[in-house]
Amino acid sequence: MESNQRDSLLVYCSEGSPDAFNPQLVSSGTSYDATAHTIYNQLVTYNPGTTDIAPALAESWQISDDGTRYRFKLKEGVNFHGNQDFTPTRTLNADDVIFSFNRQRLSSHPFHEVSGGRYPYFYSQGLDQLILDINKISDKEVEFVLSRPESPFLAILATPFASILSAEYAEVLQALNKLEWLDSKPIGTGPFRFKRYEPDSYIRYEAFANYFGGAPKIKDLVYSITPDAAMRFARFSAGECDIMSNPLPVHLRIARQNKLNILEVPGFNVAYWAFNVEKPPFHDVKVRQALSMAINREAILKAVYDRQAQIATSPIPPSSWAYNKQVSRVRYNTQQAKQLLTEAGYENGFTIDIWAMPIQRTYNPNARKMAEMMQQDLEKIGVKARIISYEWGTFLSRVAQGLHHSVLLGWNADNGDPSNFLNPLLSCASARSGNNYAKWCHPTFDQLILNASQSSDIEKRKEYYLQAQALFKDQAPWLTIAHANKSLLTQPDVTGLVISPVGNVEFDKVSFDKGKATPDEDTN
Amino acid sequence: MLKLLIRHGTTLLISLFGLTLLTFVLSQRGDSALHIYQSQHFMGQYLEYLEYLLAGDWGYSSIHNRPVLYDFLQHFPATIELVMLALLFAIIFGLTLGIMAANRRGKWLDNTLMGVTLAGYSMPIYWWGMLLVLLFSLTLGWTPVAGRIDYIYDVPPVTRFMLIDSLLSQDQYGFDAFFNALLHLILPAITLSTIPMAIIARMTRSSLLGVLKAEYIRTARSKGLSQQRIIWVHALRNALIPILTISGVQVSIIMSGVIITEYIFAWPGVGKWLLEAVSRRDFASIQAGILALSLLVIAFNLALDLLASYMNPRLRRPS
């Protein structure tokens, strides 16, 4: 490879093929990675490496006093990409924003049914109910009207599904009668222009010279799709990729030994052990507390996560602004656990089921192993545990039906707002039909998180969340186990890469630093 | 010859019937929205299914929002490229090793070669591929780890055969892109060809040894012909017939091997596509993939049967 070509081409070895080139249509992280921050932009985004909201396509915004109207002022001179069939004649305006949301929101919209007509994120967040209307105030101003105050709304708009598409391109496609090209030949405002996708092989992008945030330093970006983690690591080791996604704990250990570059942030996720409080003996809070105390999480962290995680004390990770530092960590204490069980009237112990998820996830690389370790710990306090597992789809549907006793699961946040953890996982509504697998419905807790969602004062919201976490800890519907790290491996000469806690990888500031160009050099 | 064609045609029809019936039943159980049938009855629906297949409507992938036949055709050339090279390796090296072993029967070379082929035959393909990568790509740095071509070569797909497409992009890169693509093919082709190569080598050896005992070889020897001439000219043609027959089985071995090989080497062929479809529960793609690969195996077997019959007139007349 000649050095001048090498300097302008960045190869990212990714873990899978995207399901679509429009983040509105999908909900997988792999698809988001390949689209939302390369081809597209959203109205707002996060400050690099944090979960603080920052302007993106919107220059500024105003929220009405009652919290139901969000008015965004759009940036001037934001250019769209072009391709063989489309040359943009204008810059971004309010029509594009309205088009992007109305396509998902209105079943009468000409593009609503195109490419399957499913918008998983939009509907799962209940945005069809929340967004009443979107008004064009002027070419550069747009207003969202909500049915109720919803303070996480800004954070929701920073999520990939809220990417802004070109309304002008849609018009051209209507004239060509090729509506589905909107999703397969994407046009966005992002730092990279889509060039070619060879299914299951690679995605080729080229830098967008007229990007409003300044042209990227690299000219070509290739996502090399390599699903097998061992092969991905081999490609990285041979220098075929500049950046490797989703390394396994063993790769990180090798990388550390060989002083390779590891980019690591605490992940915005949580792994937990939920007790089904509708089933005895878990209806008794003392039992839940006793079982929580009986588990040696330090050992789990070492054996299951290879120390690429931290012990979770709250459902919300410590990097969140609403994290409650005062909540104390549950201490591993077999004696005290036994005593609590005796107090609850279970001195002779009992038998429970632990449902262990069958697949690997960032938040839990090996639930089966975790369950086996827990089985041994529980035996010490006289509790017998059976481990149960099904095929992933069956597992989730059975857990949703509440057929489980207790379950090992987890959650990856899509946006930086604490409500993204507490509402879907622990609210009363989600206990009835949702992801609240502890089936735990506590009226006070529910009121606290509802108050927090509807308040627009961040200090007040924080206060509600702090109280909610304390109450959660006291009631122990889950044992929170770990927040796993998100990591990437990079070659020594790659600089400027930022990985956000919610997992977005952004390449617009990436360049090659020739001073660090020899891989043999010790760069750490 | 007509009788032969009828006989093979009947076998083909029975195989096709069984295969399509199976995929039809699967399609009923998996994703019910694959096709919409007019008929209420099972056989009626089956016939409609055949009509759809013949019309090129192999179902629609709800995951990719595309007809599955389109996806299949996109991936097929990559698989063909790999399988052809692997078959070429298997035949050339398998025959050569088999002949060498037969030539030195009972000597150390024979024993060594047979030991090696036994090892090759029993090697788990996944582990073997990784081992090759470790040695040739990571330790020696001679071959690339995975993929079809280096990304510095931006080769637009025209025929979707990388060796051809890279030559078409010659104006831009000269022959560099072609050699680079060839280099990428070597390790996956070796991985895929190892088991068939070992089988062919062992078959060649035993078949050749059998033929060498025949009367006409003894006659040839008494005429004073050299060992090389006897083997290459007189014995090999007859020894090839059972090898050809067994090659039909090799095709199905290669087809199952190709799924694993493509996955290991991130090779964007039908095998990897099928595996991805399984992991995404994309029933339409799974069925189409299985149907297409099975059809290919059947077609190959038929062609090889016909070729063997052509080479050996005795096979044409069933006794």
Side-chain angles (χ1 to χ4, degrees):
Chain A
M1 235 182 247
E2 286 172 27
S3 63
N4 56 345
Q5 283 169 312
R6 179 72 181 71
D7 286 348
S8 63
L9 167 79
L10 183 90
V11 181
Y12 171 65
C13 278
S14 72
E15 71 285 356
S17 311
D19 297 321
F21 281 96
N22 181 351
Q24 299 176 335
L25 301 171
V26 291
S27 58
S28 76
T30 306
S31 304
Y32 286 163
D33 270 352
T35 54
H37 304 283
T38 47
I39 306 169
Y40 299 106
N41 293 105
Q42 299 74 37
L43 287 174
V44 289
T45 186
Y46 298 116
N47 271 326
T50 70
T51 53
D52 306 332
I53 300 290
L57 293 179
E59 190 177 77
S60 60
W61 53 88
Q62 281 178 319
I63 307 168
S64 66
D65 289 344
D66 66 353
T68 59
R69 283 171 187 267
Y70 283 67
R71 187 176 285 202
F72 294 91
K73 189 160 184 252
L74 303 179
K75 276 188 182 148
E76 296 283 343
V78 175
N79 298 298
F80 277 102
H81 310 153
N83 63 19
Q84 282 174 335
D85 309 288
F86 171 66
T87 311
T89 60
R90 60 167 178 80
T91 54
L92 171 88
N93 69 24
D95 293 333
D96 300 311
V97 179
I98 294 171
F99 169 81
S100 305
F101 286 91
N102 279 356
R103 185 221 172 153
Q104 304 182 69
R105 198 167 75 84
L106 306 174
S107 53
S108 58
H109 194 273
F111 279 82
H112 187 77
E113 293 295 330
V114 174
S115 307
R118 276 178 296 185
Y119 305 95
Y121 195 88
F122 190 84
Y123 285 94
S124 72
Q125 291 285 311
L127 294 174
D128 52 327
Q129 306 290 324
L130 181 68
I131 301 175
L132 282 184
D133 206 358
I134 308 171
N135 301 322
K136 180 177 179 175
I137 307 296
S138 70
D139 256 7
K140 295 291 169 197
E141 253 186 307
V142 65
E143 184 187 59
F144 286 74
V145 184
L146 306 187
S147 57
R148 58 168 196 275
E150 177 80 3
S151 51
F153 189 63
L154 273 181
I156 290 173
L157 290 187
T159 356
F161 89 96
S163 295
I164 303 301
L165 281 63
S166 163
E168 193 189 4
Y169 181 46
E171 276 170 31
V172 171
L173 294 183
Q174 274 183 301
L176 289 172
N177 200 19
K178 291 282 182 196
L179 273 62
E180 67 285 355
W181 284 3
L182 186 76
D183 307 314
S184 59
K185 296 183 171 186
I187 291 285
T189 53
F192 294 94
R193 202 173 71 85
F194 174 81
K195 198 169 172 193
R196 191 181 316 126
Y197 170 49
E198 280 296 300
D200 301 338
S201 179
Y202 65 85
I203 312 165
R204 200 174 262 282
Y205 307 89
E206 61 187 10
F208 182 41
N210 298 324
Y211 180 52
F212 72 95
K217 291 178 183 157
I218 44 170
K219 284 202 177 69
D220 293 283
L221 171 66
V222 174
Y223 276 43
S224 173
I225 298 161
T226 318
D228 183 64
M231 187 49 70
R232 211 158 54 238
F233 187 62
R235 290 190 99 166
F236 177 78
S237 305
E240 285 178 25
C241 350
D242 299 302
I243 303 163
M244 172 192 168
S245 80
N246 293 39
L248 298 177
V250 60
H251 300 146
L252 292 171
R253 200 181 322 138
I254 299 171
R256 267 197 196 96
Q257 279 164 4
N258 296 332
K259 299 203 162 120
L260 299 174
N261 283 354
I262 303 171
L263 203 63
E264 200 165 28
V265 289
F268 229 53
N269 58 37
V270 62
Y272 59 81
W273 180 30
F275 308 113
N276 186 344
V277 299
E278 286 177 350
K279 292 197 174 169
F282 300 126
H283 63 297
D284 189 334
V285 64
K286 278 192 177 154
V287 172
R288 303 198 295 259
Q289 286 169 342
L291 296 193
S292 300
M293 259 175 211
I295 305 299
N296 183 354
R297 288 180 296 173
E298 273 292 343
I300 288 177
L301 228 62
K302 201 170 152 191
V304 178
Y305 293 91
D306 201 17
R307 296 212 176 279
Q308 310 302 322
Q310 54 180 316
I311 286 185
T313 56
S314 159
I316 309 174
S319 47
S320 167
W321 53 262
Y323 179 70
N324 190 340
K325 291 191 200 90
Q326 309 303 321
V327 170
S328 62
R329 177 185 281 195
V330 178
R331 298 275 166 212
Y332 170 54
N333 190 333
T334 314
Q335 284 310 318
Q336 211 176 336
K338 264 188 187 166
Q339 197 186 328
L340 269 172
L341 276 191
T342 313
E343 282 173 27
Y346 293 100
E347 58 274 12
N348 298 323
F350 45 80
T351 303
I352 60 163
D353 292 341
I354 301 176
W355 287 36
M357 43 188 264
I359 59 164
Q360 183 192 340
R361 278 282 181 269
T362 314
Y363 51 73
N364 193 340
N366 193 342
R368 178 91 204 178
K369 191 170 177 182
M370 192 184 277
E372 282 166 9
M373 293 180 75
M374 288 164 58
Q375 197 177 32
Q376 287 171 10
D377 284 341
L378 291 171
E379 207 162 324
K380 291 178 196 157
I381 59 162
V383 174
K384 280 202 169 57
R386 284 182 307 214
I387 300 171
I388 290 178
S389 203
Y390 296 100
E391 177 274 322
W392 185 224
T394 317
F395 185 87
L396 282 182
S397 77
R398 289 187 171 222
V399 169
Q401 289 169 46
L403 298 175
H404 61 291
H405 237 174
S406 72
V407 60
L408 285 174
L409 263 169
W411 183 257
N412 267 324
D414 318 285
N415 63 55
D417 198 87
S419 64
N420 197 270
F421 283 92
L422 301 180
N423 295 26
L425 301 179
L426 292 158
S427 70
C428 288
S430 71
R432 287 190 292 274
S433 59
N435 295 322
N436 183 342
Y437 299 128
K439 303 287 167 192
W440 180 68
C441 170
H442 196 287
T444 319
F445 180 89
D446 212 45
Q447 193 58 50
L448 284 169
I449 58 172
L450 185 73
N451 290 348
S453 282
Q454 296 194 344
S455 163
S456 52
D457 179 348
I458 193 153
E459 282 309 314
K460 265 192 193 159
R461 290 190 70 198
K462 191 171 173 177
E463 188 47 44
Y464 289 130
Y465 283 132
L466 295 185
Q467 286 179 31
Q469 286 169 82
L471 185 61
F472 164 88
K473 205 71 198 172
D474 191 42
Q475 290 291 311
W478 302 348
L479 169 64
T480 49
I481 297 172
H483 305 295
N485 293 349
K486 270 253 165 279
S487 42
L488 289 174
L489 293 181
T490 69
Q491 299 291 1
D493 54 348
V494 174
T495 55
L497 185 70
V498 178
I499 170 172
S500 92
V502 287
N504 308 333
V505 187
E506 289 164 33
F507 298 105
D508 54 326
K509 301 279 188 293
V510 174
S511 63
F512 292 103
D513 182 348
K514 283 179 189 160
K516 295 181 176 179
T518 45
D520 297 326
E521 239 172 67
D522 183 358
T523 52
N524 279 24
Chain B
M1 198 67 194
L2 184 70
K3 272 187 187 166
L4 179 83
L5 280 177
I6 293 172
R7 191 151 49 89
H8 280 299
T10 321
T11 324
L12 177 73
L13 281 179
I14 293 171
S15 319
L16 286 181
F17 174 70
L19 184 64
T20 48
L21 194 67
L22 187 75
T23 49
F24 171 67
V25 173
L26 284 177
S27 76
Q28 300 291 85
R29 292 189 60 82
D31 192 340
S32 55
L34 269 186
H35 290 115
I36 298 156
Y37 301 111
Q38 308 287 330
S39 174
Q40 297 293 316
H41 304 292
F42 181 81
M43 275 319 280
Q45 291 189 351
Y46 170 67
L47 289 176
E48 280 180 51
Y49 173 69
L50 288 186
E51 265 178 51
Y52 278 121
L53 288 188
L54 289 174
D57 178 358
W58 290 46
Y60 193 83
S61 160
S62 53
I63 308 278
H64 296 293
N65 287 310
R66 283 191 297 261
V68 285
L69 190 62
Y70 170 84
D71 272 352
F72 176 79
L73 293 176
Q74 296 267 309
H75 291 90
F76 195 49
T79 300
I80 290 290
E81 205 167 46
L82 177 59
V83 167
M84 291 309 248
L85 195 70
L87 264 178
L88 202 68
F89 278 2
I91 292 169
I92 293 176
F93 292 109
L95 282 179
T96 315
L97 294 180
I99 292 168
M100 278 164 70
N103 223 351
R104 300 270 187 282
R105 185 186 181 185
K107 306 268 171 53
W108 69 269
L109 183 69
D110 182 21
N111 293 334
T112 314
L113 284 179
M114 285 307 104
V116 169
T117 53
L118 186 67
Y121 180 61
S122 27
M123 196 94 75
I125 213 171
Y126 187 86
W127 180 75
W128 176 228
M130 290 298 217
L131 211 65
L132 288 175
V133 168
L134 190 67
L135 179 65
F136 291 106
S137 309
L138 294 178
T139 311
L140 298 170
W142 292 351
T143 51
V145 175
R148 290 181 85 186
I149 195 162
D150 269 349
Y151 295 111
I152 48 165
Y153 304 107
D154 183 10
V155 178
V158 182
T159 62
R160 304 202 157 268
F161 290 95
M162 191 53 94
L163 290 179
I164 300 174
D165 287 350
S166 58
L167 284 176
L168 293 177
S169 70
Q170 214 189 13
D171 295 347
Q172 207 178 344
Y173 304 112
F175 282 103
D176 287 1
F178 175 77
F179 288 121
N180 191 276
L182 201 60
L183 208 58
H184 278 79
L185 257 168
I186 290 175
L187 284 195
I190 291 179
T191 309
L192 188 57
S193 68
T194 303
I195 291 177
M197 187 193 296
I199 296 174
I200 291 176
R202 296 177 80 82
M203 272 299 295
T204 309
R205 178 185 175 273
S206 65
S207 170
L208 204 57
L209 287 177
V211 172
L212 286 175
K213 280 185 201 147
E215 281 295 321
Y216 76 98
I217 298 291
R218 220 175 291 165
T219 316
R221 243 184 219 134
S222 64
K223 276 166 47 183
L225 294 182
S226 73
Q227 175 77 354
Q228 297 309 319
R229 194 174 159 78
I230 287 170
I231 286 183
W232 288 101
V233 179
H234 296 276
L236 197 58
R237 185 184 153 124
N238 283 332
L240 273 179
I241 293 162
I243 300 169
L244 213 56
T245 318
I246 202 117
S247 297
V249 186
Q250 306 306 306
V251 176
S252 47
I253 293 179
I254 285 195
M255 281 305 169
S256 47
V258 91
I259 297 180
I260 306 167
T261 311
E262 287 186 353
Y263 181 75
I264 316 174
F265 290 96
W267 192 264
V270 176
K272 188 157 162 270
W273 170 65
L274 204 56
L275 265 191
E276 292 250 329
V278 170
S279 73
R280 289 175 178 154
R281 308 242 179 302
D282 183 353
F283 290 106
S285 301
I286 297 171
Q287 280 152 24
I290 289 171
L291 188 67
L293 287 188
S294 313
L295 281 178
L296 207 70
V297 173
I298 292 177
F300 249 106
N301 271 302
L302 188 71
L304 286 171
D305 268 358
L306 287 172
L307 191 66
S309 312
Y310 172 75
M311 285 179 68
N312 185 1
R314 270 180 299 177
L315 285 178
R316 289 181 216 160
R317 273 173 255 113
S319 52

